Amino acid sequence: MATMATSLNIATQRVLATSDTRPVRLAGPVRLNNPWNLGSRTTNRMVKLKPVKATPEGGISDVVEKSIKEAQETCAGDPVSGECVAAWDEVEELSAAASHARDKKKAGGSDPLEEYCKDNPETNECRTYDN
Amino acid sequence: MAVSTIYSTQALNSTHFLSSSSSSSSKQVFFYRRQSQTNRRFNTLITCSQQTIVIGLAADSGCGKSTFMRRLTSVFGGAAVPPRGGNPDSNTLISDTTTVICLDDYHSLDRTGRKEKGVTALDPRANDFDLMYEQVKALKSGVAVQKPIYNHVTGLLDAPELIQPPKILVIEGLHPMFDERVRDLLDFSIYLDISNEVKFAWKIQRDMAERGHSLESIKASIEARKPDFDAFIDPQKQYADAVIEVLPTQLIPDDNEGKVLRVRLIMKEGVKYFSPVYLFDEGSTISWIPCGRKLTCSYPGIKFNYEPDSYFDHEVSVLEMDGQFDRLDELIYVESHLSNLSTKFYGEVTQQMLKHADFPGSNNGTGLFQTIVGLKIRDLYEQLIANKANARAEAAKA
């Protein structure tokens, strides 16, 4: 007996770990419309395993500020154009992202355990005892 | 319960071909590899009696989806965390029972693409509903998928992440009920309906401290997005099984601070495995002010309302709370007068609210009703699973 999760992990790890140059081919319902992935299906999979870079949190405030300026400029000419609306939508998206980044920072500070315990105080690693 | 049995005749090796066949009650996934020289097959057969229930949560950006998700996963139990070792900008949350995926991941146009075409993220043209449908359907039938990640910081589509079929899948975002095919996959759906006044107040709270923002920019952003919001997001509420409406209070005349809220929980009647919460007497119209001789409340007090109503031609029950809790005894007093809460013990609602007292809305109807909806979904899940198990037992007997 094993869980579905475990079994699929085995398969996935194999796929990721192999340096075989043959392409991963998926058939049936699993072969989904993955447009971001079409180009890389034929490449060496090790290449895809490059570490994902976290975007610096401090930078987002600058991006929000810049997007507001851009939206104001775009809309100065034509306040109902698609470009203007899209520019203000970008402001909303970035403001929400900045707010989430602030929450994350505030919630945990530098300690990921504290952040985790805030949401899960009942777990073993988060219990505190008197005596 | 996701029980899988693996019959393996050969260790998994090299390239794998994955195919699957599905039936209503079980799922079989075959992994096999082909050896190019001999063309021999080694089969691994996995049989799964997986039951994934799918919950949809719709709301505009900045309207409390994240808070709702934290309350919901807390009610289901276990820790909801981003996928370990994955993309730090992943939008997914995973716990033992639940996986929450953000539908922004199905943007077909990235930020630059939307700008060039002059469309917002609210516009269906910026979203890939075919892929959304395929992947939600695959997860519901117990098949893992490689889901794209929309990076909210860079505005780009990052490399996809592997999502395993969970017990409870929550899809949250702008359009969970927009596409009919996706809508039909939902076992339960919720819409957070934030009135314009409150939305404005919340966004001021969220953004005023942000550099570059002003009252004008916040207002301009809301107004610019409003036509698309009205056209594509708002109409989804007619399909929701539960709607949480957030309005300005009526307890303080001409209040427009948006601090005290009037919150309405609209619950559709006749939804399988979901029986609405009620106050005192099911189906009656009740107006209740809990504060008085037995319970002292602080200004401006608390007022409840409960009544049958109709909502987009559906029969519904509406529970309304105006005002906020300032003391614990107010909260527990209210809980003890509500029925059909699907709690497992007396005071569970209060316990959940206290556990997350620092979340926004923990002292008013938003927190209360989000918690209640969480309990109702837990109940729905348990009934659905029990029913499946019974059906299987019946089938085995026959």
Side-chain angles (χ1 to χ4, degrees), chain B residues 260-277:
Chain B
V260 182
L261 300 172
R262 180 165 71 102
V263 187
R264 288 159 54 86
L265 174 60
I266 301 162
M267 299 162 280
K268 212 178 253 182
E269 293 285 344
V271 177
K272 210 174 179 192
Y273 306 120
F274 172 63
S275 72
V277 175

Side-chain angles (χ1 to χ4, degrees), chain A residues 8-76:
Chain A
L8 277 175
N9 270 336
I10 296 168
T12 316
Q13 280 157 6
R14 293 302 309 177
V15 169
L16 292 177
T18 178
S19 58
D20 201 306
T21 46
R22 277 176 295 169
V24 180
R25 201 161 64 82
L26 300 167
V30 185
R31 187 179 172 189
L32 299 169
N33 170 22
N34 298 344
W36 63 88
N37 194 5
L38 281 173
S40 56
R41 281 222 179 104
T42 49
T43 63
N44 188 321
R45 281 180 301 281
M46 292 306 281
V47 178
K48 280 168 66 188
L49 279 177
K50 60 177 183 250
V52 188
K53 197 175 59 181
T55 318
E57 249 165 52
I60 187 137
S61 286
D62 297 336
V63 188
V64 174
E65 197 177 9
K66 196 170 141 246
S67 74
I68 294 169
K69 277 206 190 95
E70 269 177 27
Q72 283 163 342
E73 281 161 21
T74 313
C75 298

Side-chain angles (χ1 to χ4, degrees), chain B residues 103-145:
Chain B
L103 295 179
D104 288 351
D105 290 336
Y106 294 105
H107 282 337
S108 55
L109 296 173
D110 63 11
R111 195 177 286 154
T112 318
R114 293 198 298 273
K115 234 182 193 167
E116 278 166 5
K117 293 211 162 63
V119 296
T120 65
L122 307 161
D123 194 312
R125 285 174 294 171
N127 296 280
D128 186 346
F129 288 102
D130 293 338
L131 181 63
M132 189 192 296
Y133 166 64
E134 278 175 39
Q135 297 208 331
V136 174
K137 189 172 156 225
L139 286 169
K140 186 163 183 165
S141 56
V143 177
V145 299

Side-chain angles (χ1 to χ4, degrees), chain B residues 157-171:
Chain B
L157 285 162
D158 287 349
E161 60 186 352
L162 183 73
I163 303 291
Q164 304 285 1
K167 290 178 186 166
I168 302 172
L169 173 70
V170 185
I171 56 171

Side-chain angles (χ1 to χ4, degrees), chain A residues 1-2 4 7-8 27 30 32-33 36 61-62 65 70 85 89-90 92-93 95 100 102 118-120, chain B residues 3-4 6 18 48 61 66 79 111 114-115 121 131 134 142 150 160 164 206 210-211 213 225 358:
Chain A
M1 291 285 266
M4 180 73 177
S7 57
L8 277 175
V30 185
L32 299 169
N33 170 22
W36 63 88
S61 286
D62 297 336
E65 197 177 9
E70 269 177 27
V85 172
D89 186 46
E90 185 185 321
E92 169 56 33
E93 184 177 288
S95 305
H100 283 146
R102 271 199 309 273
K118 200 144 206 172
D119 277 345
N120 309 285
Chain B
V3 181
S4 303
I6 303 184
L18 181 58
C48 275
S61 159
S66 314
R111 195 177 286 154
R114 293 198 298 273
K115 234 182 193 167
L131 181 63
E134 278 175 39
Y150 177 72
Q164 304 285 1
R206 185 191 72 184
E210 194 65 57
R211 242 184 307 132
H213 259 305
R225 295 173 76 254
D358 57 326

Side-chain angles (χ1 to χ4, degrees), chain B residues 48-345:
Chain B
C48 275
S49 49
Q50 163 97 25
Q51 171 78 44
T52 295
I53 75 155
V54 187
I55 312 292
L57 172 67
D60 195 9
S61 159
C63 287
K65 286 191 298 277
S66 314
T67 307
F68 192 1
M69 280 305 106
R70 289 166 80 188
R71 285 192 202 282
L72 208 64
T73 47
S74 169
V75 169
F76 299 160
V81 290
R84 276 170 225 281
N87 185 335
D89 289 324
S90 163
N91 306 306
T92 306
L93 284 175
I94 298 174
S95 77
D96 293 346
T97 53
T98 315
T99 296
V100 182
I101 61 175
C102 172
L103 295 179
D104 288 351
D105 290 336
Y106 294 105
H107 282 337
S108 55
L109 296 173
D110 63 11
R111 195 177 286 154
T112 318
R114 293 198 298 273
K115 234 182 193 167
E116 278 166 5
K117 293 211 162 63
V119 296
T120 65
L122 307 161
D123 194 312
R125 285 174 294 171
N127 296 280
D128 186 346
F129 288 102
D130 293 338
L131 181 63
M132 189 192 296
Y133 166 64
E134 278 175 39
Q135 297 208 331
V136 174
K137 189 172 156 225
L139 286 169
K140 186 163 183 165
S141 56
V143 177
V145 299
Q146 287 284 353
K147 181 187 62 54
I149 299 176
Y150 177 72
N151 187 319
H152 287 92
V153 180
T154 62
L156 298 169
L157 285 162
D158 287 349
E161 60 186 352
L162 183 73
I163 303 291
Q164 304 285 1
K167 290 178 186 166
I168 302 172
L169 173 70
V170 185
I171 56 171
E172 58 102 353
L174 296 164
H175 306 96
M177 287 98 92
F178 183 86
D179 185 283
E180 195 183 347
R181 296 166 302 168
V182 180
R183 197 161 69 225
D184 288 344
L185 292 171
L186 300 177
D187 294 289
F188 195 77
S189 54
I190 308 130
Y191 184 92
L192 301 183
D193 190 4
I194 315 302
S195 67
N196 292 329
E197 298 93 327
V198 176
K199 206 184 264 190
F200 189 48
W202 283 3
K203 290 200 175 166
I204 289 173
Q205 226 170 44
R206 185 191 72 184
D207 294 338
M208 268 311 260
E210 194 65 57
R211 242 184 307 132
H213 259 305
S214 59
L215 278 183
E216 288 70 43
S217 64
I218 294 168
K219 208 168 161 198
S221 175
I222 292 179
E223 272 168 13
R225 295 173 76 254
K226 198 166 183 303
D228 276 2
F229 174 81
D230 289 345
F232 308 121
I233 312 304
D234 194 62
Q236 292 178 92
K237 63 188 181 194
Q238 65 187 294
Y239 305 115
D241 298 317
V243 176
I244 299 181
E245 266 181 17
V246 186
L247 305 147
T249 182
Q250 289 178 338
L251 297 173
I252 308 167
D254 302 317
D255 176 79
N256 46 19
E257 262 191 282
K259 282 202 180 115
V260 182
L261 300 172
R262 180 165 71 102
V263 187
R264 288 159 54 86
L265 174 60
I266 301 162
M267 299 162 280
K268 212 178 253 182
E269 293 285 344
V271 177
K272 210 174 179 192
Y273 306 120
F274 172 63
S275 72
V277 175
Y278 64 89
L279 183 62
F280 297 119
D281 184 29
E282 195 168 9
S284 300
T285 297
I286 310 235
S287 181
W288 181 48
I289 299 174
C291 320
R293 211 169 276 162
K294 277 199 209 157
L295 182 77
T296 330
C297 302
S298 8
Y299 179 81
I302 300 169
K303 189 177 173 188
F304 273 81
N305 210 76
Y306 165 73
E307 61 185 351
D309 202 348
S310 95
Y311 187 80
F312 289 97
D313 295 329
H314 289 291
E315 207 183 312
V316 294
S317 286
V318 183
L319 180 64
E320 176 182 316
M321 174 186 167
D322 198 349
Q324 55 191 33
F325 305 109
D326 280 324
R327 289 167 22 201
L328 176 61
D329 51 354
E330 295 168 10
L331 178 51
I332 191 81
Y333 190 75
V334 165
E335 179 179 352
S336 66
H337 287 82
L338 291 168
S339 300
N340 228 356
L341 285 170
S342 301
T343 47
K344 298 216 163 163
F345 52 88

Side-chain angles (χ1 to χ4, degrees), chain A residues 91-110:
Chain A
V91 172
E92 169 56 33
E93 184 177 288
L94 286 166
S95 305
S99 157
H100 283 146
R102 271 199 309 273
D103 286 348
K104 246 191 207 165
K105 223 175 171 178
K106 201 171 60 187
S110 56

